[in-house]
Amino acid sequence: MRVCAAALFAGIVAPCAAETTPAPCIVRSPDLTLPGQAGAGDAATLGGMRPDRSALGVSVASCGTVSCHGGPKAGNHDVQSFAFTIWMNDDPHARAYEVLHEPRSRRMARSLGLGEAHRAQQCLACHSMQSESREPLPPEVLADGVGCGSCHGDSSRWQHIHYFPEWKQLSTPQRESLGYRDLSNASTRVQNCIPCHVGDASREVNHDLIAAGHPRLSFEFAAYQRLWPRHWTPAGKAESQADFAQRSWAVGQAATLEAVASLLAVRAERASEAIAAERPHRWPELSEFDCYACHQTLGPRSSAAGHAARFQNPFPGQPSWQPWYVSAGRLLEAAASPSGQDRPGVGTAAVDIRKVFEPEWSVADQERLDRVLLEARGLARAAGASARELATRERIVLDASHHRLDALLADAPPEWRFWDAAVQTLLVIEAAGGGRAAGSRQAAAPGQTRQAIEELRESLRFAPGVDSPRHFDPVRFNLDRAAVPLPAHVQP
Amino acid sequence: MKNPGWSMPATVIAVVILLGSVPRGFSAPPDAQPLPPPAFRSKGADLCVKCHRSEQGDWCDVATTSAWRHDAHARAHLALSPANERTHAMEQALGIKAAETASCVACHTHPVAEPPIEEETNLLHAGISCETCHGAGSGYLEPHMEKAWRFLSSSEKQAFGMHDLRNPAAKAQNCLSCHLGEVATDRIITHQMYAAGHPPLPAFEMEAFSAGMGPHWKRVWEKSPRIQRLAAEANYETEGASELERSMVGSLVALRETARLVNDYAHATENDAKDRPWPELALYDCQACHHELAVPSWRQEAGYGRLVPGRPSLVRWPRRLAAVAFEQAGMPTDVDALLDPFVTVLNRRPFGTADGLRQAADAGAESFTQIDRAIAALSRLRRDETLAAREQAASERLAAAGRNVGDFESARMLAWALMHGLAGADAWPQDIRTQKISELSRLLALGFPTPAYPLPPSPEKPFWQTSLAAAPDADIDRVRKAFRLPPTDAPPAPLEVIAPPTPR
């Protein structure tokens, strides 16, 4: 067996003999591509490269045997031995496909004219490992939802060898040439989440989908990681970096902004083609705009009417482009000061996109779409450059001090009227070490700070049964925020 | 009929009659028929007040102008003053002066198309006054003081410039020119104006609004038997048979006018994209977008019909009541199918295109004549021995429609109409009817402020604080349940009493 394994690693023996393969592991593709072939190493470069999901065909069942990753969840075992068990029991990704059978999903697919949700590629693109370009997956693989292969890569060429000691000696590019994906740092990890949690050319959550019942997307990598049940040991992984929370936030926001801008560019391009060909289209794509600009009950006390006057909104009646991501860009520029290699900062580039939609946000003609495309590409480049620059930094320190945030607020007061901006502000304070940044080696924030931040978080919570910020008061929020006693390390 | 004893220049009468008979087809762009110079000029409310401040015998036994003075219309012009906090904020946000802006002036004071003449002063300070609705008075001021005036037909009165507001269809069109909008007269409220602070225009149920503002008239059937007899001779029956059926005519007119408004606006966009940009969101259903998000969402559960989820619908509050009106007219009609050409356009891109919606209006123009046939059928109904059965049947239909209603503004329309219907539907005991009305009224904020509009307005009580509340965004299930009516022992309504449709 050892011989066989060694031969495998040397890339000499192609098919793995049945008797040398441990029973639970299924070998689907015996072909080995040698390290260095087939664009190996590309996946390791940041920015612009997205994980290829086109060849995921191994069921989680082959990973989740009791003797491999599906062992009992017990404190004295290595997390690796029950990684599958955690995923199966605690991780929502495990139910990604299952939910497509629920009444809500069935109703959504019906009202969108998609037929059955669990057969519609539009849904399967994120709720399973089925990608557009590959042949239909067998039902048991579909049923895995977002399974092991979604993030760790197609294991058909490495699952039968990755448990040998020699595996540990392979370099990351060598492993990746076999289809394995390295997730040990924040930069590579976030690229895995983005295609679904932000969207790309082959998967998106648009306003039609949201109106039919899909939740809106509002991605912030660091917060998602905190909420995600961890199925790995922090040692040797991204978590072991001293600046894990800050790095996740900064790199995550930059990579996310790149994806947001790329998606906008894709949408603009598609609308442009459709208009030229007189086909139906979805421009303006309403999910690109502030949800709560429109989604609020009208009345004499309606916040929109009040806001126009209070914040000197120069364009009454116009929803703003992406307050969630514009505020992320501005906070990133302020808190992490990424150098843009002579390009405008990400915050500025994001604001530039917003300006394209003013004063008439809903115009759908070639001139408008060309301008959107231009600015979207500008932000994508600026954000990609920022992500690369941040990834090379030895240590990332976020400045989420009141001084910094107040300066940002004074710079562009209308920007901070959004609930989305308030949440992003809270998240950067938490990432900077002000709150409950789990997994961080940061000295825990003093109890008083944690409590103040919890209260701030509570003030942003929606009322029961309501999915919009009915009682949000931006002025009040910023006063409360300014009163949070931040520990010294948040204010470098 | 007696000769009135005085005459108008024949040309003027001819012009007016001609104007009245020009078909307002959807296909004709507004600029193809330039607005004629006003045939009549305003005389000013001051002259009307001289007589109508007190009762005028038993023909007109209401102190009209004193009722009008307590009506918000009398003070509509005050909203143009920057002394109001809200007006000031709007002026700031929009960079305008309300008193000098055509679309503000068009609805808040006397129409600018009919400038004041002669001795009249201060027309701009009289809000929506007599002549805004009844017609400019230069033609009829003196004639209408003659006894013979009462015996002229409405079209003869029209020839002198007096509008027939007894006729519910004519009245609805008159009210809706502001309460919905009209391109030709600049009575356009824009989404920008709303966003800057203009209160939302609520669903408009003509008879409830008339009652709410404090009527300054009596229906013929409320007058003395002698007057009723004389009115019958003079063919006053254009008035309709009941508040309920008038309200149904109003909803049919509203349905037609919403389509016309979209069509006219789409034409205006093509001619003047700068001042009439597309899309104008005020043409769409406010609550399609403006509702709080909820989980679970009854909107999503109900589905969106043929409309792609997430695409804003055009104004839809007239539809459900209009559907009941079609039934009442004996012409059951699928109102959604009638509007289907618009839905196709809205599905091609969010908000559709001006060109697409205009073409849809053209394509649907033939089916919109069905609305006019239903109005005609309802107008033939009389206040006779079948009225009680009709009101009973209509109430049941309204309640049934309410149990399936899909938005609050449509629910309000149905509920207001049901309030008129229940007044006469005595198959249910009075206490049940009263209780039902108060339940609906509470849930849907149907009530108008009482006492209506005290004078003078003060900074503490400006007029908009006494205006109608916006439709609440509550639990639709509670609203639907509130439309449940107990079964009655009365025999089912005899449908045969309802006039059959007569195609034109």
Side-chain angles (χ1 to χ4, degrees), chain A residues 442-457:
Chain A
Q442 208 64 258
Q448 207 191 349
T449 306
R450 278 207 308 277
Q451 197 194 332
I453 288 181
E454 270 319 301
E455 281 168 17
L456 208 53
R457 175 188 291 278

Side-chain angles (χ1 to χ4, degrees), chain B residues 38-375:
Chain B
F40 300 103
R41 320 291 305 267
S42 289
K43 300 295 283 184
D46 289 7
L47 288 176
C48 312
V49 169
K50 284 177 183 165
C51 296
H52 289 282
R53 67 191 164 188
S54 61
E55 300 167 6
Q56 300 293 303
D58 55 359
W59 267 104
C60 182
D61 59 355
V62 179
T64 303
T65 54
S66 82
W68 168 74
R69 281 194 198 284
H70 286 82
D71 175 336
H73 290 102
R75 288 175 296 137
H77 62 297
L78 297 178
L80 299 175
S81 162
N84 298 307
E85 202 184 327
R86 180 182 293 238
T87 309
H88 179 69
M90 283 184 69
E91 289 187 338
Q92 293 290 306
L94 298 171
I96 57 160
K97 292 236 175 296
E100 294 163 13
T101 304
S103 52
C104 302
V105 170
C107 284
H108 280 276
T109 184
H110 208 74
V112 284
E114 296 171 25
I117 51 156
E118 298 172 14
E119 70 272 25
E120 186 41 41
T121 54
N122 289 341
L123 272 181
L124 278 170
H125 304 284
I128 301 304
S129 57
C130 316
E131 292 168 286
T132 320
C133 302
H134 292 279
S138 63
Y140 67 78
L141 179 68
E142 286 173 15
H144 93 289
M145 298 178 200
E146 303 287 333
K147 279 203 167 69
W149 178 260
R150 307 204 185 283
F151 297 94
L152 296 187
S153 70
S154 61
S155 63
E156 285 166 322
K157 287 176 183 170
Q158 181 69 58
F160 289 94
M162 183 184 269
H163 301 158
D164 180 14
L165 299 178
R166 290 196 183 280
N167 180 327
K171 179 177 169 180
Q173 190 160 348
N174 183 66
C175 301
L176 288 164
S177 68
C178 285
H179 285 272
L180 177 70
E182 191 175 74
V183 175
T185 49
D186 260 339
R187 289 168 174 172
I188 292 292
I189 183 152
T190 64
H191 186 254
Q192 200 183 31
M193 286 153 73
Y194 283 136
H198 194 287
L201 289 190
F204 184 79
E205 197 286 279
M206 177 173 69
E207 291 309 304
F209 273 65
S210 291
M213 77 181 185
H216 54 256
W217 61 84
K218 277 185 175 175
R219 297 265 160 254
V220 169
W221 61 77
E222 292 166 342
K223 299 189 185 203
S224 70
R226 184 182 76 90
I227 300 297
Q228 289 191 41
R229 212 167 41 244
L230 290 170
E233 279 177 36
N235 193 24
Y236 270 34
E237 284 177 332
T238 62
E239 182 150 39
S242 65
E243 306 293 346
L244 174 69
E245 282 162 358
R246 287 175 62 86
S247 107
M248 292 187 168
V249 169
S251 75
L252 288 167
V253 174
L255 182 68
R256 189 187 66 202
E257 293 305 303
T258 50
R260 190 198 304 285
L261 181 61
V262 169
N263 177 61
D264 289 355
Y265 191 92
H267 274 297
T269 294
E270 283 172 16
N271 299 327
D272 183 5
K274 192 173 158 290
D275 286 341
R276 297 271 181 254
W278 188 268
E280 174 43 65
L281 302 194
L283 299 172
Y284 297 78
D285 177 25
C286 305
Q287 292 188 10
C289 304
H290 291 301
H291 56 79
E292 283 203 50
L293 303 175
V295 179
S297 158
W298 58 263
R299 289 184 172 86
Q300 288 164 1
E301 279 162 21
Y304 302 91
R306 266 236 315 125
L307 197 66
V308 170
R311 307 299 172 88
S313 155
L314 291 167
V315 164
R316 60 181 172 172
W317 53 257
R319 298 183 195 171
R320 297 279 77 82
L321 180 54
V324 177
F326 274 119
E327 282 186 63
Q328 189 78 356
M331 304 168 56
T333 299
D334 182 344
V335 174
D336 292 324
L338 206 64
L339 300 168
D340 216 37
F342 290 114
V343 174
T344 305
V345 179
L346 295 176
N347 283 348
R348 282 185 62 83
R349 63 152 281 197
F351 307 113
T353 55
D355 194 40
L357 289 172
R358 193 178 47 69
Q359 285 173 18
D362 281 349
E366 189 52 42
S367 60
F368 285 113
T369 59
Q370 186 149 348
I371 300 175
D372 290 328
R373 289 203 297 277
I375 291 172

Side-chain angles (χ1 to χ4, degrees), chain A residues 304-327:
Chain A
H307 280 186
R310 271 167 87 190
F311 296 96
Q312 287 109 45
N313 179 4
F315 306 111
Q318 309 273 327
S320 293
W321 182 73
Q322 296 284 24
W324 179 262
Y325 295 114
V326 173
S327 57

